[in-house]
Amino acid sequence: MKTNILLTLILLTSVSAYSQNLTQTIRGRVIDKQSEVPLPGVNVVTLTEPRIGTTTDENGYYQIENVPVKRITLSFSFIGYQPVTLQNIELTGSKELVQNVALLESTEQLEEVVVKADNEEDRVINERVNVSGRSFSVEESMRFAGSVQDVSRMASNFAGVQRTNDANNDIVIRGNSPIGLIWRLEGMDIPNPNHFGGLGATGGPVSMLNNNVLANSDFITGAFPSEYGDGLSGVFDLSMRNGNYENHEFLGQVGFNGFELGAEGPISRENRSSYLVNYRYSTLGLMSAIGLDFGTGTAVPKYQDLNIKLHFPSSKRGTIDVFALGGISSIEFLESENEEGEDGGFYSDGEDLYNDTYTGVIGASHQYFFNKDLYSKFSVALSSMGNDVKVDTLNADRDKLTPTYRQSFQEDDLQFSGFVNKKFNVHHVLRAGAYVTYKNYNLGDSTYDSDLNAFRTLRDQNSSDWLYQPYVNWQYRITDKWEMNTGLHAMVLASNGNYSIEPRFGMSYQLTQKQSINLGYGKHSQAVPVVILYEKLRLPDGSYISPNENLDFTKSHHFVLGYDLMMKNRLHFKAEAYYQHLYDAVVTQMPSSFSSLNAGGFDFYAPDSVENGGAGYNYGLDLTLEKFMDKGFYFLSTISLYQSQYQGSDEVWRNTAFNGNYVANLLGGKEFVLGKKKQNSENRKTITLDGKVTYAGGQRYTPIDLQQSIFNGEAVYAKDDAYGAQFDPYFRADIRIGYKVSGKKVTQELALDIQNVTNNQNPFGVDYNKSTQEVETTYQLGIFPMVLYRITF
């Protein structure tokens, strides 16, 4: 059998490049999924005609040349390992395909290889994730309508995710606050990676994470394994891809999100080291700078960001990776420059608002193999995030501005992480490590107090802290069908001595070759946001105290039960039921409806004196039916039914701010290849039609007490009925039309993405209008077309 395989591969590698002139090279590396050691001798074959094959070298690298440009299927097989087949990968003429793969060793020692068309899209990249995990490809974020090249908006397509606010990138998972999401890049925790996002909150309409430099990544919605901590809802675990280590390649892109330039290529071809860099500048900011007006008035979003990855592999010294992510942004909402009665948009409330933010991360990692079963990885990263806010209030006669609020927040984190991974055998793998973070805060903000006729300090803090997070994970693969991951995570905050011990458990059992059941549990904790932890309270004598510095972590228990089924024609069905119990949430000391479980986005409120004592629960059912691309057709359908409630210090159970009760998404599309019969065509032309429909329960909000607002001359909210009102259901339909021409040296793509194509009026919020003495509803954007042009060469 081995001889037959070898002869077959020799014949495959001798096949000519078919009759098409347009071909490309595929290269990459194959490693063991448990030990990450490179695998030599792996058979790599294109299953699409013409079949061409090769094997990996002693360092796990492979290269297949003269592959016809089209969508291809790649097969990876190796004796003793479970085969992997990647289907419908797009191969273009202007850019080489770098496809890295990890193979899982079989618990049953096989004597021969049987290549099967197994599907890999439903598998999570992190092998320690057994439940509530979803791997997504960067190509999907580029192709799906409504995603607008943004990974955060791509995540809103998945089951369990609610997104009914078009103005920001909040990711609400299973009724949790978006603050509970863990952002991780290249294995390191990072701050909120959205432009215009605030420290201690989420928000921000545009992601700094550029999908042109990202690799396929994982999105986890609950009961995550022990290596993740300081989060309550889920994990966005992202990685940057390595640059091409053989050839220099370039990218240019123009779209609503910005003007982009990208480059990648070898630093040393001999050592296979590479660079990858991408820069973006906001489209509206650039147009405003040259004098063009798009009707946004003073509210022009100005931002720019930079993504960098340097890769230095070495079989002797170990692999070193360096990465960087940075972005700055600013915007002004100036009511004073609007005409009286003119609609100033979402944020106009008789105020002038100036907002400047920045986020930066730079890090490096070193991976070293002691032997084929033992390796370590140590990383260090420095991150900084800050925002400056200035708010002035316009009087009724619109001829005077009164200073109202000033803010200058900054957090600098120095993070160390390291782990040792030991593969004892195919059944047992142990990983032990820790995250240690030094946090430095410089928080200052104040608000004008009319009674004092002066600014009253809210926060004035310049301090530091240490957060320790050790963890251990044991993977036990009983058979190829039965796998368990058990682990322990701990959190310790040095300043107040609070700690949490958190057990984690996950299990997968394959009932048949096509179906499995999954079970998961995890205790999870999160430190209190710094804007609450360092709140200042002014005493009658004019002095200040910090009453919240000893607050404990907010905690939760996650329980998940899932069922997975792969059907014919690349259909995938997944169902998950879950229950989450939250406790030790931050509530006020005096009875009220406030709870930190509702914090997030642009509605972040920090009371003076609080304590741990709040509770909450989320339970629901997530359903997914997906057809991976097959003959150009694909779709994704998700339904989430859930209940999310909380209890403040008044001990009344209420809906959380995120309890929409249901979300349904349906998206799909078809790729058409033009001129299929032209065998000697010098380019490949495709048209892609894609659409998305979302229908979800309306946002919860606290109603305004109209009579009290008229009496006070400003909005007064009925806090006893917190989140007791709900907007009409949210509905939005998006369509996308893309045209791509892939040539030998250049690939060009032109796309039109029309958001909210039906111009549905989805509510944004309610405000009190002092002039009319009425409560008014503001609405989100109506129909909004976006054009994108991309060129790679």
Side-chain angles (χ1 to χ4, degrees):
M1 184 64 186
K2 295 179 182 179
T3 304
N4 291 337
I5 294 174
L6 182 60
L7 290 174
T8 302
L9 288 173
I10 293 174
L11 289 173
L12 289 173
T13 55
S14 66
V15 175
S16 67
Y18 201 51
S19 58
Q20 292 184 337
N21 294 327
L22 191 59
T23 63
Q24 188 52 275
T25 298
I26 304 172
R27 68 175 82 253
R29 197 182 197 193
V30 183
I31 62 174
D32 181 291
K33 193 166 188 176
Q34 293 174 302
S35 68
E36 297 197 9
V37 67
L39 295 177
V42 176
N43 302 319
V44 186
V45 181
T46 63
L47 298 184
T48 42
E49 296 295 335
R51 296 199 172 195
I52 311 173
T54 188
T55 59
T56 57
D57 64 17
E58 60 181 2
N59 293 313
Y61 290 98
Y62 71 92
Q63 177 172 311
I64 306 177
E65 298 179 342
N66 298 320
V67 181
V69 167
K70 56 183 174 180
R71 288 197 175 272
I72 64 166
T73 296
L74 273 177
S75 171
F76 300 82
S77 58
F78 190 48
I79 293 178
Y81 283 77
Q82 298 177 9
V84 166
T85 300
L86 303 177
Q87 303 187 46
N88 282 282
I89 308 171
E90 185 177 28
L91 187 63
T92 63
S94 62
K95 185 174 178 58
E96 293 184 343
L97 176 63
V98 180
Q99 188 68 59
N100 300 317
V101 171
L103 298 184
L104 185 62
E105 188 175 2
S106 175
T107 59
E108 303 173 5
Q109 295 301 314
L110 303 178
E111 295 184 355
E112 59 182 32
V113 175
V114 180
V115 178
K116 299 177 293 183
D118 295 332
N119 185 69
E120 285 297 302
E121 284 103 325
D122 61 319
R123 294 193 180 185
V124 180
I125 297 171
N126 187 334
E127 60 170 351
R128 291 165 294 283
V129 176
N130 293 109
V131 295
S132 299
R134 174 61 155 86
S135 177
F136 74 95
S137 71
V138 172
E139 186 201 356
E140 289 175 326
S141 70
M142 294 181 176
R143 179 178 5 112
F144 285 176
S147 296
V148 293
Q149 319 296 308
D150 194 315
V151 293
S152 297
R153 295 173 189 258
M154 176 68 196
S156 67
N157 298 317
F158 302 147
V161 181
Q162 171 199 9
R163 183 177 175 273
T164 56
N165 188 340
D166 299 336
N168 61 43
N169 274 346
D170 281 350
I171 298 178
V172 176
I173 299 175
R174 293 175 172 175
N176 284 281
S177 163
I179 292 177
L181 179 67
I182 300 168
W183 287 98
R184 184 164 287 186
L185 179 66
E186 290 292 301
M188 303 297 280
D189 294 336
I190 62 172
N192 174 16
N194 290 304
H195 286 293
F196 309 105
L199 179 65
T202 54
V206 181
S207 176
M208 301 176 196
L209 296 164
N210 195 303
N211 64 357
N212 286 316
V213 302
L214 291 175
N216 295 348
S217 303
D218 286 341
F219 183 68
I220 310 170
T221 55
F224 32 93
S226 59
E227 63 201 80
Y228 303 108
D230 199 18
L232 295 174
S233 65
V235 181
F236 220 142
D237 194 346
L238 297 152
S239 298
M240 290 184 179
R241 62 183 178 84
N242 299 326
N244 191 321
Y245 50 80
E246 286 289 341
N247 296 300
H248 297 280
E249 297 174 336
F250 305 94
L251 172 143
Q253 181 171 302
V254 180
F256 183 80
N257 283 347
F259 288 82
E260 296 185 31
L261 293 173
E264 62 181 285
I267 297 175
S268 168
R269 289 184 174 88
E270 181 181 356
N271 297 326
R272 291 190 171 97
S273 58
S274 64
Y275 71 91
L276 176 68
V277 60
N278 190 283
Y279 171 77
R280 174 173 58 178
Y281 194 98
S282 64
T283 300
L284 292 184
L286 183 60
M287 294 302 180
S288 175
I290 62 177
L292 296 180
D293 185 4
F294 278 80
T296 60
T298 60
V300 178
K302 302 175 182 178
Y303 57 86
Q304 49 189 315
D305 50 57
L306 181 68
N307 291 250
I308 298 175
K309 173 78 177 288
L310 306 177
H311 180 61
F312 303 95
S314 172
S315 58
K316 294 182 179 180
R317 297 183 299 272
T319 297
I320 296 176
D321 287 315
V322 179
F323 71 96
L325 166 70
I328 57 175
S329 51
S330 64
I331 194 167
E332 299 174 355
F333 297 95
L334 304 182
E335 180 67 16
S336 62
E337 297 191 8
N338 292 328
E339 297 294 333
E340 186 172 2
E342 182 180 353
D343 183 11
F346 293 157
Y347 309 104
S348 63
D349 191 21
E351 297 177 338
D352 281 4
L353 183 149
Y354 303 82
N355 185 23
D356 298 284
T357 63
Y358 70 87
T359 298
V361 182
I362 183 169
S365 66
H366 177 253
Q367 184 183 37
Y368 183 78
F369 289 90
F370 298 94
N371 54 52
K372 66 181 183 65
D373 296 321
L374 177 65
Y375 78 93
S376 65
K377 187 173 184 180
F378 291 91
S379 305
V380 60
L382 176 64
S383 65
S384 182
M385 181 178 185
N387 55 280
D388 294 298
V389 178
K390 175 184 174 183
V391 179
D392 296 330
T393 302
L394 190 67
N395 65 354
D397 295 331
R398 302 180 63 83
D399 60 1
K400 182 181 179 182
L401 283 169
T402 302
T404 304
Y405 179 73
R406 299 291 185 267
Q407 178 193 102
S408 180
F409 285 174
Q410 180 176 333
E411 178 180 346
D412 302 315
D413 290 352
L414 180 60
Q415 184 177 157
F416 304 91
S417 77
F419 66 81
V420 176
N421 193 94
K422 170 64 176 177
K423 179 180 178 180
F424 294 94
N425 51 48
V426 67
H427 299 285
H428 301 282
V429 179
L430 186 69
R431 174 173 292 192
Y435 284 83
V436 178
T437 308
Y438 173 76
K439 297 176 174 289
N440 186 76
Y441 307 106
N442 192 345
L443 310 175
D445 68 335
S446 57
T447 184
Y448 182 77
D449 191 323
S450 57
D451 294 333
L452 299 174
N453 193 28
F455 274 86
R456 176 170 57 87
T457 300
L458 299 176
R459 275 160 290 265
D460 183 14
Q461 190 77 22
N462 191 343
S463 61
S464 60
D465 209 341
W466 288 89
L467 180 64
Y468 304 96
Q469 298 184 79
Y471 67 90
V472 63
N473 186 90
W474 170 48
Q475 183 183 78
Y476 179 30
R477 297 182 62 226
I478 304 170
T479 67
D480 280 352
K481 294 183 178 181
W482 192 358
E483 176 185 301
M484 292 191 298
N485 278 280
T486 59
L488 200 65
H489 181 275
M491 272 181 49
V492 180
L493 191 63
S495 61
N496 54 27
N498 289 324
Y499 68 92
S500 176
I501 307 297
E502 304 165 6
R504 312 284 175 86
F505 172 78
M507 186 198 77
S508 298
Y509 183 74
Q510 196 169 348
L511 299 171
T512 66
Q513 187 177 356
K514 298 295 184 181
Q515 57 182 330
S516 64
I517 56 172
N518 312 286
L519 180 68
Y521 162 76
K523 179 182 177 182
H524 305 278
S525 303
Q526 186 171 26
V528 176
V530 294
V531 292
I532 293 180
L533 198 64
Y534 295 121
E535 177 84 8
K536 294 285 188 181
L537 176 62
R538 188 178 190 274
L539 299 179
D541 62 2
S543 62
Y544 289 88
I545 61 171
S546 301
N548 304 331
E549 289 186 341
N550 292 319
L551 287 172
D552 200 356
F553 305 135
T554 301
K555 307 177 184 71
S556 71
H557 295 286
H558 289 218
F559 302 88
V560 182
L561 176 64
Y563 171 76
D564 216 278
L565 174 64
M566 281 299 303
M567 296 175 281
K568 295 180 178 179
N569 300 318
R570 308 198 71 204
L571 276 173
H572 175 221
F573 172 75
K574 184 176 183 179
E576 283 196 343
Y578 62 88
Y579 176 80
Q580 181 184 8
H581 169 65
L582 299 106
Y583 61 103
D584 284 346
V586 175
V587 295
T588 56
Q589 294 179 3
M590 298 296 292
S592 79
S593 60
F594 171 82
S595 172
S596 60
L597 299 182
N598 296 307
F602 295 101
D603 300 321
F604 196 94
Y605 163 64
D608 291 330
S609 299
V610 292
E611 62 185 7
N612 296 103
Y617 64 82
N618 305 309
Y619 65 84
L621 177 67
D622 293 337
L623 302 173
T624 300
L625 180 62
E626 181 171 13
K627 180 179 178 64
F628 300 112
M629 181 177 277
D630 182 31
K631 299 178 181 179
F633 176 65
Y634 54 91
F635 71 79
L636 172 65
S637 175
T638 63
I639 297 176
S640 299
L641 307 173
Y642 64 99
Q643 182 74 359
S644 176
Q645 302 230 324
Y646 81 99
Q647 187 182 63
S649 57
D650 59 4
E651 298 184 350
V652 176
W653 284 101
R654 296 180 172 89
N655 293 304
T656 68
F658 314 105
N659 190 22
N661 296 124
Y662 60 90
V663 181
N665 291 299
L666 176 61
L667 60 91
K670 180 74 168 68
E671 180 183 78
F672 300 90
V673 180
L674 306 180
K676 290 183 179 180
K677 296 181 179 180
K678 295 182 179 180
Q679 298 294 323
N680 295 310
S681 175
E682 294 184 356
N683 53 55
R684 182 175 186 263
K685 301 176 182 179
T686 60
I687 291 180
T688 303
L689 304 178
D690 193 281
K692 175 185 176 182
V693 175
T694 298
Y695 186 74
Q699 295 185 75
R700 301 276 179 176
Y701 67 96
T702 301
I704 293 177
D705 186 328
L706 180 59
Q707 296 305 316
Q708 196 63 44
S709 299
I710 294 174
F711 180 79
N712 286 19
E714 62 182 6
V716 177
Y717 292 88
K719 295 182 179 179
D720 290 340
D721 191 24
Y723 308 107
Q726 186 176 21
F727 290 126
D728 291 338
Y730 174 94
F731 175 81
R732 176 172 145 175
D734 305 321
I735 61 173
R736 185 181 189 275
I737 304 172
Y739 174 67
K740 181 182 291 187
V741 179
S742 177
K744 186 174 183 180
K745 297 292 185 180
V746 177
T747 295
Q748 300 182 77
E749 180 181 4
L750 182 65
L752 174 64
D753 199 319
I754 305 177
Q755 300 186 48
N756 196 6
V757 67
T758 63
N759 199 32
N760 193 59
Q761 296 297 298
N762 291 306
F764 176 81
V766 291
D767 292 306
Y768 172 67
N769 188 318
K770 291 182 288 186
S771 301
T772 63
Q773 295 187 340
E774 294 179 350
V775 175
E776 298 179 349
T777 301
T778 56
Y779 293 90
Q780 304 187 52
L781 287 174
I783 185 171
F784 195 74
M786 301 173 66
V787 177
L788 175 127
Y789 171 76
R790 178 191 291 117
I791 180 171
T792 57
F793 54 96

